[in-house]
Amino acid sequence: MPIRVQSLACAALLALGAALASGATAQSGTAPSDKASHWPSKPVTLVIPYPPGGTSDIVGRQLADRLREELGQTIVVENKAGAATAIGATAVARAAKDGHTLLLSASSTFTVAPHLSDKLQYKFDDFAPVAPVSTTPFVLVVRKDFPARNLREFAAYAQVNPGKVNNATNGQGGLGHLLGELVATGLGVQLTQVHYKGAVPAAMDLIGGIVDSNVQALTNAVPNVNAGQYRALAVLSAERQPLLPQVPTFKELGYPQIVGDAWYAVFAPAGTPKPVLDKLGAAIRKITGSARFGAAMRKVGNQAQTGTPEQLRELTLQQSRRWGDLIRQHGIEAE
C-alpha cells in the first residue's frame, strides 16, 4: 500500500510539471502578439529633428494626426532641432525600446551626417527602420534676370564663365550643398557654392539678385517661381512635378545622373520588439498609401512614399554610399 501511494504521488507531480510546462510554452508563444496588442499603452512621442514650421514639421504633424486615428492613442510631436538632426536622433537612440518614442528621420541623418563627423553620438545600427513616409523633390532655380533661359544655356554660360556663377546653398555640408555639387559635376561646370544658414536667407538673396542660382526644395520654390521672383530650369526628380509641370527633369534633358531628393521616414530604437514594429509599420503603410495622405503631401510639394523596413534599410545604405563618395570627391567638410 505505501508503494502505491508513492506511485500515485509521483504521477501527480509529473502531471503537474507537464501542465506547468505546457502553460509556460503557451505563454511564451503568445507573448509577441500580446506585446503588439497592448501597444501603444501610452502616448507615443514622434521626434522631429528640425524646428517647427518647416517641411519636416508639416510632414510629421500630418503623419501624427493619421497615426492617432489608426492606433487610437495620443501622438505627441516633439521638435528636437540642432546639430544637423543629431540632437533629435541621439535622443531617440537612447530612448526606451518599447515603441513609444520614434524618429521622423530626414535622409541626411543617416546618409550625410555620418560622413561629415566622427563625433556623432548615434549610428545607423542604433535604429530599426520602420517605413518611408514621403520625399521632397528639388529644383534648380536662377535669379529672374539671369542670362540663361533654360538648362542648356545655363550649362553653356557656366562653362565659359568658370567659377563666376554663384550657387546658394542652405548650409555647408547640407543636402542642398551636395545637390549643388551634383548639378555642377553632372553638367561639367564649376559653380561657386555660397553657403547660407538655411533656406530662407538663400532664397532672399536669390530674389535680391545677390546670388545666381540655388538647388531648392520644391516646397519652397513653387510660390516664388509662380510669383515671378525667380525661374525654374529643371527638377532633380525622376519625373516631372505636378506643381511645376512645365519644368523638365535633368534626366529628360540628357543628364540621368543628376537625380536626387530628400526623404522622410520613421525609425525606432534598435531592439524594439518586432511585433510592435510590424504593427507600427502596417499602420504607416496604410496611411502613406491612402489618397488622403497623398493629397496632403502634394499640397506641400511632397510625394507620399510606401515601403517595407527592408526597402528603407537598402535605400539608406545605398544613398549613404552615394553621398559619401561625393563628399570625399569634393573634400566637403561640416561647417
Side-chain angles (χ1 to χ4, degrees):
M1 186 66 67
I3 296 176
R4 180 174 174 76
V5 171
Q6 186 179 23
S7 299
L8 289 173
C10 288
L13 287 172
L14 289 170
L16 177 60
L20 290 173
S22 175
T25 301
Q27 286 184 350
S28 175
T30 59
S33 59
D34 283 348
K35 288 179 181 178
S37 64
H38 289 98
W39 178 87
S41 58
K42 60 182 180 180
V44 175
T45 298
L46 179 65
V47 174
I48 299 176
Y50 286 102
T55 302
S56 58
D57 193 53
I58 295 171
V59 172
R61 292 179 187 277
Q62 289 278 356
L63 178 64
D65 287 343
R66 294 298 309 280
L67 276 175
R68 190 176 296 115
E69 298 172 5
E70 287 296 322
L71 300 175
Q73 182 58 267
T74 300
I75 311 295
V76 179
V77 172
E78 185 174 351
N79 297 91
K80 281 186 174 292
T85 77
I87 290 177
T90 300
V92 176
R94 295 175 175 175
K97 306 174 188 303
D98 59 5
H100 289 96
T101 304
L102 308 170
L103 176 70
L104 181 73
S105 166
S107 52
S108 59
T109 301
F110 300 118
T111 66
V112 175
H115 299 289
L116 295 173
S117 174
D118 57 3
K119 297 180 180 179
L120 294 178
Q121 298 181 51
Y122 70 87
K123 57 184 182 299
F124 185 49
D125 289 344
D126 292 331
F127 295 86
V130 179
V133 175
S134 71
T135 60
T136 301
F138 280 75
V139 57
L140 173 65
V141 293
V142 296
R143 56 183 168 83
K144 59 185 178 183
D145 58 347
F146 191 74
R149 306 301 300 179
N150 53 50
L151 185 65
R152 181 181 61 80
E153 292 179 0
F154 177 86
Y157 181 90
Q159 285 169 356
V160 298
N161 295 280
K164 293 184 179 180
V165 176
N166 294 320
N167 180 70
T169 82
N170 299 351
Q172 183 172 324
L175 186 59
H177 179 194
L178 299 187
L179 292 172
E181 297 287 11
L182 181 69
V183 167
T185 301
L187 294 179
V189 301
Q190 179 185 346
L191 304 179
T192 296
Q193 306 292 343
V194 181
H195 306 301
Y196 288 81
K197 293 186 180 297
V200 173
M204 292 303 296
D205 273 7
L206 185 65
I207 291 172
I210 296 173
V211 290
D212 300 308
S213 64
N214 182 211
V215 179
Q216 195 171 107
L218 196 75
T219 310
N220 301 324
V222 168
N224 289 318
V225 170
N226 289 342
Q229 301 277 26
Y230 41 73
R231 294 181 286 110
L233 298 187
V235 293
L236 282 77
S237 49
E239 299 177 351
R240 291 199 183 201
Q241 293 299 312
L243 293 181
L244 290 175
Q246 76 282 9
V247 179
T249 67
F250 278 91
K251 185 177 178 180
E252 70 183 270
L253 293 174
Y255 301 97
Q257 72 277 30
I258 306 180
V259 175
D261 55 27
W263 48 260
Y264 300 102
V266 173
F267 290 77
T272 301
K274 188 176 184 303
V276 172
L277 296 176
D278 290 344
K279 183 177 180 180
L280 173 62
I284 294 175
R285 285 190 291 276
K286 181 178 178 181
I287 292 167
T288 57
S290 69
R292 176 181 166 189
F293 189 79
M297 291 298 97
R298 286 192 295 274
K299 285 182 180 179
V300 295
N302 275 23
Q303 295 177 315
Q305 295 294 320
T306 299
T308 65
E310 293 75 19
Q311 290 169 331
L312 176 55
R313 177 180 293 279
E314 181 54 35
L315 172 67
T316 305
L317 294 175
Q318 183 271 328
Q319 290 203 351
S320 178
R321 291 189 293 269
R322 183 190 192 195
W323 296 129
D325 289 344
L326 187 72
I327 288 168
R328 287 184 290 274
Q329 177 186 347
H330 292 279
I332 296 172
E333 298 179 351
E335 190 171 10

